[in-house]
Amino acid sequence: MVLTSLSKMTGLQKKTACIRNICILAHVDHGKTTLADCLISSNGIISSRLAGKLRYLDSRADEQIRGITMKSSAITLLFGKDDQEYLINLIDSPGHVDFSSEVSTAVRLCDGCIVVVDAVEGVCPQTHAVLRQAWLENIRPVLVINKIDRLIMELKFTPQEAYSHLKNILEQVNAITATLFTSKVLEERAEKDTEAQLTSDSAHRDQVYDWSAGLECTDDSHLYFSPDQGNVVFASAIDGWGFGIEHFAKLYSQKIGIKPSVLLKTLWGDYYLNTKAKKIMKSDQSKGKKPLFVQLVLDNIWSLYEAVMKKDKEKIDKIVSSLGLKIGARESRHTDPKVQLSAICSQWLPISQAVLSMVCNKLPSPLDITVERVEKLMSVGAKAFDSLPQETQDLKDAFMKCSSEEAAPVIVFVSKMFAVDAKTLPQNKPRPLSQEEIAQRRELVRQRHAEKLAATQGQEMGQPDAGGNPEDQTIKAGGMKGDDQPSVHQTEALTVATAKLEDENKEAFVAFARVFSGVVKKGQKLFVLGPKYDPAESLHKLPSGCSAADDVPPVPHLACCTLEDLYLLMGRELEQLEEVPSGNVLGIGGLQEFVLKSATLSSSPACPPFTPLTFEATPIVRVAVEPKHPSEMPQLVKGMKLLNQADPCVQVLIQETGEHVLITAGEVHLQRCLDDLRERFARVEISVSKPIIPFRETIMRPPKVDMVNEEIGKQQKVAVIHQSKEEQNKVPEGVQVDSDGLVTMSTANKYATLSVRATPLPEEVTQLLEENCDLIRTMEQFTSFLNEGKKTQEMNQKTLDQIRELKQKLEQKLQGRKWRNAVDCIWSFGPRKCGPNILLNRFEGYERSVWQCLDKGVKEASLYRDFDNSIVSGFQLATLSGPMCEEPLMGVCFSVEKWDMTKFVEQMSVNRQDLDEKAAGETLATEEAAPESTDRDSKSTSESKEIQESSQQPFKLPSKRKGETLLADCYGPFSGQLIATMKEACRYALQVKPQRLMAAMYTCEIMATAEVLGRVYAVLSKREGRVLQEEMKEGTDMFIIKAVLPVAESFGFADEIRKRTSGLASPQLVFSHWEVIPDDPFWVPTTEEEYLHFGEKADSENQARKYMNAVRKRKGLYVDEKIVEHAEKQRTLSRNK
């Protein structure tokens, strides 16, 4: 069927209006792949009996074993409706939260999506996530409420109860859409208001602000799911049936004699049928009447299920004959009623017909792409569409037309690279042999057989002479040598065989892509635009009208590639194509060297790279990987590169320690990546470390109560805390610590003195800095360009507004006496110049802040200015690895309150004088170079005068270098000393405050029945989890438990919960936030009561210390713990006898 229709499919690819690019989105186990099976079986690719059992698009072995989808895979289907044929590119996506990155890659290539919701479980966390992803990508959704058979079989609902339950689910889904819509409208309204304020100079003061106007004016009726609009299908994919209410509207309009259009509006909702008057009433006149949907639709389905389950043969035959169906003898005699049920239902209400006709009617073709979506795709980063070059803006028309003309520019987006076995590629598949080839092979086999026979006969002839004279022996030896000759051929054959094996085992990469404009042809040359490519900067470097086939001057982030192969994606199969018109999804071979994970390909260099994909899950679980045999390290490195390319979410890096680290989204994702490394990419045995759990270090205000919740008295504070602090943080000589935590330190050569204080940042400020990480990075880049005097592009207004807004928010949140003017004094953020820690400039005589991009004034240079970067670098190093266990800091503010460099200035002037004297001596000695030397002499004397006049004057670069070389004493360059001093001062400033560890936390959603609730709580409490809320799902016996769980305790959590609850509860873990562990890791029990609770042999353990020591052990740092734990138990058994 597939091979015969390939020509038909290529013909339909040219009719853009008849193409639908759709993906199936849902929570895990809501029936996406089963639904996909039903749709595929309608094309005859698989048998309809196997639909739901085969899970055709789950082509990996581990997907079949686990029963979940782990990757998005595409298939092309044909669908005929009303004499019109449609080509449907269907993409199935995973529902598990670990693989939500695969959903992002699928959503980008589609114009519409099918959202599947389980009729029993209703709206789940991933349903929220996928609806949000669809909304952000501007693609239109339709709804399939699946597993309605569970309402009948498991929950034993009556049709009336089922109707109200389905109504509830529909309301919940629409509520999510409404939330997304409202936030968007209010955002647009706010933007318009700010623009209006900027444009109107004279605003009326008595104007009343109208909050709701934006929402009232905007039409949102088309956004919501409603059966009467035709964008909802009720289905049971496993039983093969599904329907939209228009099917029943047509059916009953003939029977009852009411117009189909009227029935379509009234079949869903509280409408009732008055049979005598043959009218539909809005409200229930007589009590106990059923709504139309229950009476005409659900009652029939319920009665069919009842008849089949009770094996009521007469009733079944009656139903079958009245519906005009033909049921085979095999199905009707089958002992399993489910087989009979699916045979009847799949003929009466075929699910593929209902879903695909809804897709064709309600979802847009590639021609209907919205202006908003095009502008969003083309506007990278903070740039507005209007700020792009004119040539780039002209490409918008090509997007909108989606034309397949020869002249149209080619624009392709690659959303991911996926690995396939090279043997499965169409060009490598074994083809049937021709008659001539068969004859040749037969002849070759005959020859080999004859040679073998001759060789064996020769050996038999030579054997009787074995004990003969020496001549015979030598002849025999010669003969043996001759026999050994073929071994050379054998080795050659062996090498050829191994080379073939390698080729067979090789993984080929295919790009998962979509053509947005133009026609893609095999062998065509296109530009590959990297994510940092900027047409505004690069267009003037390129000749106008150049193409990828020309010799193009080198431009950053722009490469040329050839499209070696084009494939039609058919699930587990690939079919070769010669050309693909716009609006189609395709696979492209030969891009392995050019594309890492995703890229934009275009025939025009004016095309901007598309906005990067948004991933819901953040990679948090990291493990170190190494080969079992060190000699196999190159294969592992190569394998990790391939894995990085094949998985959109995984991150691969080499740490400073030299470890090869994999960062994945969760446990299931990690397991899949490791399996891929072992079996597909590296093909070597690997050993994997325990998960490397990230922590953060912070400080807090001095606590009011101690570990056993006793109030800390004044004397106790002084005695215990200071004593323990002194023991841990033995402050070396030369470091002064004030009672309020101000640390003063001098550089090694005593030329500069720094005073630093550490204070904890309010929680909301830390959160704000984390959210605006990208904005801060942009700001820092701009500031560094300004300071280095490089040419900078003007920042667009939107970004400047965002920066101003960030500054205002910081000012609002940093209030109080100690934070006065703090925002204006921010010198830098850290670590990596964009983290959640702040460096404040609190000393006099030097003004410097990160807000230079707002006031544009480059500050007057001064002596401090030259060594400014050293202080910032010291701060960056200190925030990157804290004193507790070398983990990054979070939520700490360091303020530099004193920076004294008077000694440095004095030393510099002394050095200059020495230099002048030396120079003067040289001028007397060498008379030839007199004019030059006087010149230099006057220059240096003028420089020394400048220094004496003012320590605030800038140094010229050459003079600074001279000073550096003169001051590069045994302690190294002065700037390096400043970095080290700043780093140490920050560390000591931290250590004099109460330090705490911060743990990464997962939010955990568990659906469980009432009987296993206690076991779920037991597992949570054992793993330091904290339950936030527990609610019962309406109309079911299911409870939804929301909890937070430390990432450190999450490994094996899902398996343990499944084991303890016999598979009745399964958790979904998503990284949420960082949380301070309240325990003090350095706390020492002093009283008897404390020793009982927290001593060496106590039941409870200091959680923070446990984590801290584990990290220190892993990093090879000193750990303060006893080697002998229980000395009295260490006795030999023989002594006890």
Side-chain angles (χ1 to χ4, degrees):
M1 169 87 190
V2 184
L3 291 169
T4 53
S5 63
L6 187 62
S7 55
K8 205 177 198 180
M9 285 180 176
T10 48
L12 272 173
Q13 281 189 335
K14 290 168 186 162
K15 298 179 184 174
T16 319
C18 299
I19 298 169
R20 298 287 181 274
N21 296 317
I22 58 162
C23 54
I24 307 179
L25 309 175
H27 185 78
V28 68
D29 280 338
H30 278 202
K32 292 178 297 301
T33 311
T34 308
L35 175 63
D37 269 9
C38 294
L39 303 184
I40 294 165
S41 69
S42 71
N43 264 32
I45 297 169
I46 62 170
S47 156
S48 56
R49 285 180 194 152
L50 288 175
K53 299 177 188 76
L54 186 65
R55 301 207 311 279
Y56 182 71
L57 290 179
D58 287 356
S59 51
R60 294 171 56 102
D62 49 359
E63 286 181 317
Q64 291 287 347
I65 293 162
R66 280 183 185 267
I68 58 169
T69 308
M70 294 186 183
K71 56 159 189 1
S72 48
S73 40
I75 191 161
T76 305
L77 305 174
L78 291 172
F79 177 64
K81 180 178 179 285
D82 307 334
D83 304 328
Q84 176 73 55
E85 290 214 304
Y86 291 93
L87 186 76
I88 292 167
N89 294 316
L90 176 78
I91 305 175
D92 183 27
S93 66
H96 196 286
V97 68
D98 282 11
F99 307 107
S100 59
S101 57
E102 291 278 350
V103 178
S104 306
T105 62
V107 166
R108 172 60 64 88
L109 303 185
C110 294
D111 301 304
C113 63
I114 302 172
V115 177
V116 183
V117 176
D118 187 328
V120 175
E121 292 184 5
V123 174
C124 292
Q126 278 305 100
T127 317
H128 274 264
V130 295
L131 278 166
R132 186 166 62 250
Q133 275 177 306
W135 177 267
L136 290 172
E137 285 286 348
N138 287 56
I139 68 168
R140 198 180 298 167
V142 289
L143 184 68
V144 172
I145 298 180
N146 191 21
K147 302 195 186 183
I148 290 183
D149 59 299
R150 288 182 68 191
L151 299 179
I152 310 170
M153 312 288 288
E154 284 178 30
L155 301 182
K156 305 278 190 290
F157 276 4
T158 63
Q160 184 70 47
E161 287 169 341
Y163 169 65
S164 56
H165 183 72
L166 292 172
K167 235 166 67 170
N168 267 348
I169 289 174
L170 212 55
E171 278 170 18
Q172 285 170 9
V173 179
N174 283 334
I176 299 168
T177 314
T179 315
L180 294 166
F181 171 72
T182 311
S183 60
K184 181 195 169 191
V185 171
L186 292 174
E187 231 172 76
E188 284 176 359
R189 173 77 197 277
E191 277 179 24
K192 279 178 189 169
D193 284 353
T194 49
E195 281 173 23
Q197 279 173 11
L198 291 169
T199 49
S200 63
D201 298 328
S202 55
H204 300 292
R205 286 189 180 179
D206 56 341
Q207 196 174 356
V208 179
Y209 193 81
D210 179 15
W211 287 98
S212 59
L215 285 169
E216 283 169 1
C217 305
T218 331
D219 176 34
D220 59 346
S221 57
H222 63 282
L223 293 172
Y224 299 119
F225 300 106
S226 173
D228 56 332
Q229 278 192 22
N231 58 4
V232 179
V233 160
F234 301 96
S236 166
I238 200 77
D239 289 343
W241 61 266
F243 64 88
I245 59 169
E246 60 274 7
H247 173 87
F248 282 96
K250 281 178 194 168
L251 191 77
Y252 283 111
S253 65
Q254 297 156 359
K255 286 191 177 182
I256 305 171
I258 297 173
K259 287 179 187 173
S261 56
V262 175
L263 268 176
L264 196 62
K265 285 178 184 171
T266 54
L267 254 177
W268 181 260
D270 294 329
Y271 295 98
Y272 304 87
L273 183 66
N274 187 336
T275 40
K276 287 176 188 173
K278 281 200 175 180
K279 280 184 179 176
I280 292 168
M281 306 294 184
K282 175 70 178 123
S283 56
D284 186 6
Q285 264 81 27
S286 57
K287 293 286 174 189
K289 273 234 170 189
K290 296 174 182 174
L292 274 179
F293 187 71
V294 174
Q295 190 181 349
L296 304 182
V297 182
L298 296 184
D299 276 354
N300 293 322
I301 294 168
W302 256 246
S303 59
L304 171 63
Y305 266 80
E306 196 180 351
V308 175
M309 286 302 157
K310 286 181 179 174
K311 298 188 178 177
D312 186 342
K313 200 166 186 324
E314 286 177 20
K315 197 173 180 185
I316 293 168
D317 292 342
K318 192 181 171 186
I319 291 170
V320 169
S321 59
S322 66
L323 291 171
L325 309 175
K326 286 181 182 176
I327 304 299
R330 181 182 169 277
E331 278 86 5
S332 57
R333 286 202 208 101
H334 207 287
T335 51
D336 184 7
K338 276 280 192 182
V339 173
Q340 207 170 355
L341 196 65
S342 63
I344 298 168
C345 291
S346 56
Q347 281 188 50
W348 174 36
L349 302 167
I351 186 170
S352 55
Q353 188 71 29
V355 173
L356 293 179
S357 61
M358 170 172 74
V359 162
C360 296
N361 291 338
K362 292 292 164 190
L363 295 183
S365 72
L367 289 172
D368 303 328
I369 191 165
T370 57
V371 179
E372 192 181 357
R373 187 177 181 201
V374 171
E375 291 189 1
K376 208 171 176 183
L377 285 176
M378 293 175 80
S379 311
V380 184
K383 288 188 177 174
F385 180 74
D386 306 330
S387 66
L388 294 168
Q390 192 54 48
E391 296 98 315
T392 306
Q393 290 190 38
D394 293 344
L395 288 174
K396 181 176 159 184
D397 298 334
F399 266 101
M400 301 302 293
K401 283 179 190 166
C402 196
S403 69
S404 304
E405 295 166 12
E406 290 292 325
V410 177
I411 301 169
V412 180
F413 181 72
V414 175
S415 74
K416 70 166 185 170
M417 301 291 286
F418 65 96
V420 291
D421 199 341
K423 286 183 285 187
T424 60
L425 293 175
Q427 62 265 34
N428 298 345
K429 276 187 183 170
R431 56 184 179 79
L433 296 170
S434 63
Q435 286 297 324
E436 293 85 9
E437 284 173 323
I438 292 169
Q440 276 178 353
R441 290 197 178 189
R442 194 185 296 125
E443 193 57 42
L444 200 69
V445 171
R446 274 182 190 156
Q447 278 178 10
R448 279 185 190 163
H449 189 61
E451 281 171 15
K452 267 189 184 176
L453 272 173
T456 49
Q457 281 171 5
Q459 279 178 356
E460 282 168 12
M461 292 279 284
Q463 268 175 0
D465 305 329
N469 55 13
E471 287 172 20
D472 291 343
Q473 292 279 347
T474 52
I475 291 163
K476 191 184 171 191
M480 278 186 73
K481 273 183 189 170
D483 286 346
D484 275 355
Q485 282 303 313
S487 67
V488 180
H489 299 300
Q490 281 170 5
T491 51
E492 279 177 16
L494 267 170
T495 51
V496 171
T498 50
K500 273 187 181 176
L501 254 175
E502 275 179 17
D503 283 350
E504 281 177 7
N505 292 339
K506 207 176 173 189
E507 294 289 329
F509 277 84
V510 177
F512 192 38
R514 172 177 164 180
V515 188
F516 280 91
S517 165
V519 182
V520 175
K521 293 178 181 172
K522 191 175 173 180
Q524 189 176 11
K525 281 199 165 189
L526 292 177
F527 290 115
V528 180
L529 315 172
K532 290 183 181 175
Y533 174 74
D534 188 357
E537 283 183 10
S538 308
L539 271 177
H540 60 86
K541 296 177 187 173
L542 296 165
S544 60
C546 67
S547 72
D550 308 333
D551 282 335
V552 179
V555 169
H557 311 296
L558 181 77
C560 297
C561 72
T562 310
L563 310 181
E564 288 174 16
D565 294 290
L566 305 178
Y567 302 112
L568 178 71
L569 303 167
M570 292 299 294
R572 301 181 185 188
E573 306 291 322
L574 296 169
E575 299 292 339
Q576 263 193 318
L577 298 171
E578 288 304 311
E579 61 172 46
V580 180
S582 68
N584 285 289
V585 173
L586 77 158
I588 305 174
L591 293 182
Q592 186 173 353
E593 304 299 321
F594 302 98
V595 179
L596 179 62
K597 293 189 186 219
S598 65
T600 311
L601 313 179
S602 177
S603 58
S604 158
C607 179
F610 283 20
T611 45
L613 298 164
T614 50
F615 294 145
E616 289 284 317
T618 33
I620 188 88
V621 180
R622 38 174 87 204
V623 289
V625 183
E626 61 181 25
K628 283 265 171 74
H629 309 291
S631 60
E632 293 173 336
M633 195 69 188
Q635 287 103 298
L636 178 68
V637 173
K638 191 180 171 188
M640 286 178 85
K641 276 182 187 169
L642 294 176
L643 174 69
N644 187 31
Q645 194 166 15
D647 194 303
C649 190
V650 78
Q651 290 176 16
V652 173
L653 52 99
I654 300 173
Q655 286 193 321
E656 295 91 338
T657 52
E659 291 173 302
H660 287 74
V661 173
L662 275 184
I663 314 177
T664 57
E667 244 184 309
V668 185
H669 187 209
L670 171 67
Q671 198 54 53
R672 191 195 80 172
C673 290
L674 293 174
D675 289 347
D676 276 356
L677 257 185
R678 284 192 192 101
E679 291 156 25
R680 294 179 70 187
F681 300 128
R683 294 178 191 277
V684 294
E685 278 298 306
I686 54 175
S687 50
V688 183
S689 73
K690 282 182 178 175
I692 301 167
I693 298 129
F695 288 97
R696 296 284 181 267
E697 298 181 24
T698 189
I699 52 173
M700 57 181 286
R701 289 178 177 175
K704 298 275 194 306
V705 292
D706 66 4
M707 291 274 282
V708 283
N709 288 334
E710 287 180 353
E711 202 170 318
I712 300 173
K714 279 270 162 41
Q715 291 170 333
Q716 226 180 337
K717 259 188 192 173
V718 175
V720 180
I721 293 177
H722 278 274
Q723 178 195 343
S724 62
K725 281 281 173 239
E726 277 168 26
E727 281 172 13
Q728 278 118 31
N729 320 319
K730 286 173 180 139
V731 177
E733 286 178 32
V735 179
Q736 296 170 12
V737 182
D738 293 3
S739 57
D740 61 344
L742 183 71
V743 172
T744 307
M745 255 185 100
S746 296
T747 52
N749 56 13
K750 303 288 186 285
Y751 288 162
T753 309
L754 288 167
S755 295
V756 180
R757 187 195 308 278
T759 33
L761 280 173
E763 204 173 310
E764 54 268 26
V765 173
T766 312
Q767 213 170 337
L768 185 69
L769 294 178
E770 271 201 297
E771 285 165 9
N772 291 289
C773 181
D774 293 334
L775 186 65
I776 293 168
R777 195 182 282 118
T778 313
M779 207 161 74
E780 279 283 0
Q781 280 173 354
F782 192 82
T783 311
S784 63
F785 279 156
L786 272 178
N787 293 340
E788 288 164 20
K790 285 186 186 175
K791 273 192 175 182
T792 53
Q793 271 194 313
E794 281 298 305
M795 233 188 225
N796 70 338
Q797 196 55 44
K798 195 177 175 188
T799 315
L800 286 171
D801 290 344
Q802 284 174 334
I803 293 170
R804 282 194 191 94
E805 193 183 341
L806 172 66
K807 193 177 176 183
Q808 279 173 358
K809 282 180 182 173
L810 280 171
E811 280 165 353
Q812 284 165 14
K813 285 170 180 167
L814 288 174
Q815 285 184 343
R817 189 171 53 81
K818 67 173 180 179
W819 297 113
R820 194 173 294 147
N821 302 333
V823 178
D824 293 321
C825 298
I826 295 175
W827 196 346
S828 180
F829 299 94
R832 299 189 177 90
K833 297 205 171 182
C834 59
N837 302 290
I838 289 177
L839 177 66
L840 292 186
N841 167 7
R842 288 287 201 189
F843 62 92
E844 291 176 6
Y846 180 53
E847 284 184 18
R848 172 78 195 280
S849 81
V850 288
W851 311 109
Q852 279 188 33
C853 49
L854 294 178
D855 48 15
K856 294 280 167 62
V858 179
K859 295 283 181 287
E860 277 299 309
S862 69
L863 170 64
Y864 294 122
R865 176 63 196 273
D866 292 333
F867 297 105
D868 175 292
N869 280 343
S870 301
I871 299 293
V872 174
S873 300
F875 161 73
Q876 299 296 345
L877 285 171
T879 51
L880 194 58
S881 57
M884 277 158 73
C885 49
E886 304 288 329
E887 288 288 301
L889 300 182
M890 192 171 190
V892 183
C893 170
F894 292 105
S895 50
V896 180
E897 306 209 346
K898 184 183 155 197
W899 182 9
D900 185 13
M901 285 179 63
T902 45
K903 281 188 182 176
F904 173 73
V905 175
E906 286 167 16
Q907 188 62 36
M908 282 297 281
S909 55
V910 169
N911 287 354
R912 287 286 154 70
Q913 283 168 9
D914 292 350
L915 204 72
D916 295 348
E917 285 167 17
K918 202 175 179 185
E922 279 175 12
T923 46
L924 289 170
T926 47
E927 292 171 4
E928 292 164 357
E932 289 175 30
S933 57
T934 47
D935 220 348
R936 198 190 310 142
D937 186 29
S938 59
K939 188 177 173 186
S940 56
T941 46
S942 64
E943 278 174 0
S944 60
K945 277 177 193 170
E946 275 177 36
I947 288 167
Q948 285 159 355
E949 278 166 13
S950 164
S951 66
Q952 303 300 317
Q953 288 298 315
F955 291 119
K956 303 287 184 288
L957 211 82
S959 65
K960 182 186 158 192
R961 277 198 193 130
K962 278 180 204 164
E964 280 283 19
T965 49
L966 285 163
L967 285 171
D969 45 25
C970 57
Y971 302 112
F974 182 64
S975 55
Q977 292 178 44
L978 267 177
I979 293 174
T981 309
M982 180 63 188
K983 181 189 169 187
E984 289 305 309
C986 288
R987 285 193 135 195
Y988 290 129
L990 265 181
Q991 286 173 320
V992 296
K993 293 286 167 88
Q995 298 175 76
R996 293 289 182 272
L997 262 189
M998 291 181 91
M1001 303 297 275
Y1002 276 138
T1003 48
C1004 165
E1005 291 225 358
I1006 308 168
M1007 290 187 79
T1009 51
E1011 57 264 25
V1012 295
L1013 216 54
R1015 293 176 203 168
V1016 170
Y1017 279 164
V1019 176
L1020 273 170
S1021 59
K1022 176 184 158 190
R1023 290 173 174 264
E1024 306 290 330
R1026 194 172 73 248
V1027 176
L1028 301 177
Q1029 72 177 86
E1030 165 198 279
E1031 55 185 36
M1032 196 170 188
K1033 207 156 186 84
E1034 202 177 327
T1036 65
D1037 61 344
M1038 300 291 276
F1039 281 89
I1040 298 174
I1041 302 152
K1042 287 185 181 169
V1044 286
L1045 181 80
V1047 173
E1049 302 288 342
S1050 69
F1051 301 99
F1053 173 71
D1055 288 343
E1056 190 178 355
I1057 273 209
R1058 279 195 206 99
K1059 278 176 195 164
R1060 292 287 296 275
T1061 61
S1062 313
L1064 289 172
S1066 58
Q1068 284 265 315
L1069 299 171
V1070 186
F1071 174 69
S1072 164
H1073 64 288
W1074 294 93
E1075 197 172 280
V1076 177
I1077 303 170
D1079 304 356
D1080 181 356
F1082 299 117
W1083 184 77
V1084 181
T1086 48
T1087 66
E1088 198 174 330
E1089 188 188 352
E1090 286 172 359
Y1091 198 78
L1092 279 170
H1093 276 283
F1094 295 99
E1096 284 173 22
K1097 295 170 200 170
D1099 300 331
S1100 50
E1101 196 177 4
N1102 185 335
Q1103 203 65 26
R1105 180 178 296 170
K1106 185 181 92 176
Y1107 291 149
M1108 182 180 80
N1109 286 348
V1111 175
R1112 289 185 75 91
K1113 264 184 194 167
R1114 179 171 58 76
K1115 292 187 175 179
L1117 303 169
Y1118 170 71
V1119 178
D1120 183 23
E1121 62 181 0
K1122 289 182 180 176
I1123 296 167
V1124 177
E1125 288 260 330
H1126 305 288
E1128 66 272 21
K1129 285 187 182 176
Q1130 304 240 334
R1131 294 180 298 186
T1132 54
L1133 291 170
S1134 56
R1135 289 269 177 93
N1136 296 338
K1137 286 176 186 174

